[in-house]
């Protein structure tokens, strides 16, 4: 009997240890995942900060860094506009897919700008042809972002105009309904009063 109790006790201890090991493993896995995410975030923050610092200088490299910042801002504003339209339940068609493709292309362009800026900082030789093409691509990408936002804003203004017109009509109807219908007796009294006043005024 004593041996059986010891055996049960050992089984319970082993189950508890196995459970604690499982919890420990899950905890370590979560910590590693969080650590990786934190490292990615830190790297992105460092890259953004470096870009901002480099953009404050003068010369071609600083100009290219400013182009990178401009493009990131344009893509971010466009993404916000599309997400807002999606939240409001507008029919966007292929616009979200187009934005995803545009964002991917902007990332490629951003990488090319970064490479050019780095080479320009390290080498005194200027590649004007490549810089002109990068400016050209930048102008096209930012123009596409601006067109998407302008179209969405136009839709938003149209939706708002429809809502305002509907509200205006309802306001007119409600105010009209609240007006008291004229009492015929009051109108007769007013007519009689005016007639009497006019008679008094006659010589």
């Amino acid at each position: 009997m004593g041996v059986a109790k010891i055996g049960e006790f050992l089984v319970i201890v082993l189950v508890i240890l196995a459970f604690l090991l499982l919890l420990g493993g899950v905890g370590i896995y979560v910590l590693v995942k969080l650590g990786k995410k934190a490292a990615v975030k830190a790297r992105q923050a460092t890259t953004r900060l470096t870009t901002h610092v480099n953009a404050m200088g003068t010369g071609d490299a600083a100009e290219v860094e400013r182009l990178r910042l401009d493009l990131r801002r344009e893509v971010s504003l466009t993404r916000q506009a599309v997400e807002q339209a999606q939240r409001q339940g507008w029919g966007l068609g292929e616009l979200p897919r187009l934005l995803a493709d545009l964002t991917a292309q902007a990332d490629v362009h951003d990488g090319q700008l970064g490479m050019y800026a780095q080479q320009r900082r390290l080498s005194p030789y200027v590649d004007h042809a490549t810089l002109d093409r990068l400016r050209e691509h930048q102008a096209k990408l930012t123009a596409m972002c601006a067109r998407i936002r302008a179209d969405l804003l136009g839709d938003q203004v149209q939706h708002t105009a429809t809502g305002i017109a509907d509200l205006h009509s309802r306001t007119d109807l409600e105010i009209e309904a609240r007006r008291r219908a004229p009492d015929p007796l009051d109108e007769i009294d007013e007519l009689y009063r005016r007639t009497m006043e006019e008679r008094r005024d006659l010589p």
Side-chain angles (χ1 to χ4, degrees):
M1 193 68 177
V3 175
K5 283 187 178 179
I6 291 172
E8 285 178 15
F9 178 73
L10 284 175
V11 168
I12 291 169
V13 168
L14 288 173
V15 168
I16 291 171
L17 282 174
F19 183 69
L20 289 174
L21 283 172
L22 180 65
L23 278 179
V26 170
I28 290 170
Y29 175 78
V30 169
L31 285 174
V32 168
K33 278 284 190 187
L34 289 174
K36 283 182 180 177
K37 282 186 179 177
V40 169
K41 293 279 185 187
R43 194 160 47 246
Q44 289 173 346
T46 304
T47 303
R48 281 196 296 269
L49 181 62
T50 304
T51 304
H52 278 279
V53 170
N54 290 336
M56 292 177 189
T58 56
D60 291 339
E63 179 199 343
V64 169
E65 296 290 3
R66 287 192 289 274
L67 289 177
R68 296 178 77 188
L69 293 174
D70 288 344
L71 183 60
R72 289 175 191 172
R73 184 178 59 250
E74 291 293 316
V75 171
S76 177
L77 288 170
T78 308
R79 186 183 300 109
Q80 288 172 20
V82 170
E83 287 171 356
Q84 182 183 4
Q86 283 177 317
R87 280 194 300 274
Q88 293 175 350
W90 299 357
L92 297 179
E94 288 295 309
L95 198 54
R97 179 69 197 150
L98 176 66
L99 178 64
D101 293 343
L102 178 58
T103 302
Q105 193 61 55
D107 288 341
V108 170
H109 182 65
D110 181 74
Q112 292 169 350
L113 289 172
M115 195 182 303
Y116 182 89
Q118 183 182 22
Q119 290 174 3
R120 187 66 191 90
R121 280 191 295 272
L122 298 175
S123 171
Y125 302 105
V126 184
D127 182 1
H128 289 294
T130 300
L131 181 56
D132 287 343
R133 288 184 66 197
L134 287 171
R135 285 180 183 139
E136 211 176 289
H137 293 168
Q138 173 89 7
K140 287 178 181 176
L141 288 168
T142 53
M144 281 187 276
C145 288
R147 285 178 62 198
I148 290 171
R149 289 199 311 275
D151 183 63
L152 288 173
L153 184 59
D155 278 356
Q156 188 175 11
V157 170
Q158 183 59 42
H159 280 282
T160 304
T162 304
I164 290 173
D166 178 56
L167 189 59
H168 189 269
S169 300
R170 285 171 51 206
T171 303
D172 287 347
L173 288 170
E174 184 61 29
I175 289 172
E176 194 62 38
R178 289 173 55 82
R179 285 191 182 140
R180 188 167 59 91
D183 188 351
L185 292 175
D186 290 342
E187 289 183 346
I188 291 170
D189 286 345
E190 179 67 19
L191 188 58
Y192 177 74
R193 189 184 59 77
R194 283 186 191 167
T195 306
M196 294 304 290
E197 285 176 359
E198 286 171 4
R199 282 186 185 167
R200 270 193 231 113
D201 292 341
L202 287 172

